[in-house]
Amino acid sequence: MTAPQGRGIAETSSTGSTASTFRILHVSTGNVCRSPITERLTRHALSDRLGDPPPGYAGGTPIGGLIVESAGTWGHEGAPMEANAEIVLADFGADATGFVGRELLDEHVIRADLVLTATRDHRAQVISMGHSAGLRTFTLKEFTRLVRAIDPATLPDPREEGVVERARALVRAAAALRGWLLAPSPDADEVFDPYGAPITFFRSIGDEIHQALDPVVTALTGVPSR
């Protein structure tokens, strides 16, 4: 499906990102379970498609121009990731090293080019912060559903125009489609909170996140998973 033209999203970034980078922000509640898993699985998938990050890679270092971060609406500032979340990441070969929880701040939203939340409530909270966040904030599963409907041929070729320009175009296209492709049920766009649950539930949430991320990262980079 060819997406309608985006409405109200500038061709260049109006956020705090530079023209050469694209910043993805994952948001959940405590920033110790869902959003850390999503952040680190995104980074892992980007490295798989675009090559290993440079030596000394840290959260603020771009992979192919893409920077991936996370925060929580009630974030446990300075807290480590939940142990079960680390186990889930290890299952996928992803790295939990150096993670530190953050509370969601205005500056995080201002700088983000794409905000992906665990639930609709998180999405509403981000949008309520202002900063013209509505057209670049989606739940993760919502964004996956919209991305699946976008014809990759309508997006910039990352080999010619770069991954950053392709990512910006993808967000514009997804925002334009949002009113056309509705969720089949309210829960379809939710990733439920595994906090305090046994490892089996954490693993099911990890699988859910991984499956939702795969088409998103493929669409962002133009490179399918190996």
Side-chain angles (χ1 to χ4, degrees), residues 1 4 7 138 142 145-146 173-183:
M1 180 174 182
R7 304 182 184 93
F138 310 79
E142 174 192 21
R145 184 177 70 254
L146 298 172
L177 278 176
R178 181 161 18 204
W180 298 57
L181 295 175
L182 302 179

Side-chain angles (χ1 to χ4, degrees), residues 131-143:
H131 315 301
S132 302
L135 291 174
R136 50 194 167 89
T137 303
F138 310 79
T139 76
L140 170 62
K141 288 187 171 182
E142 174 192 21
F143 196 65

Side-chain angles (χ1 to χ4, degrees), residues 150-169:
I150 296 168
D151 182 355
T154 65
L155 300 172
D157 186 332
R159 295 166 297 181
E160 297 177 1
E161 299 184 54
V163 172
V164 168
E165 285 307 309
R166 182 183 177 92
R168 297 196 196 288

Side-chain angles (χ1 to χ4, degrees), residues 52-78:
D52 293 332
Y57 171 71
T61 304
I63 303 175
L66 306 183
I67 298 171
V68 186
E69 301 173 311
S70 66
T73 55
W74 290 89
H76 300 296
E77 187 73 27

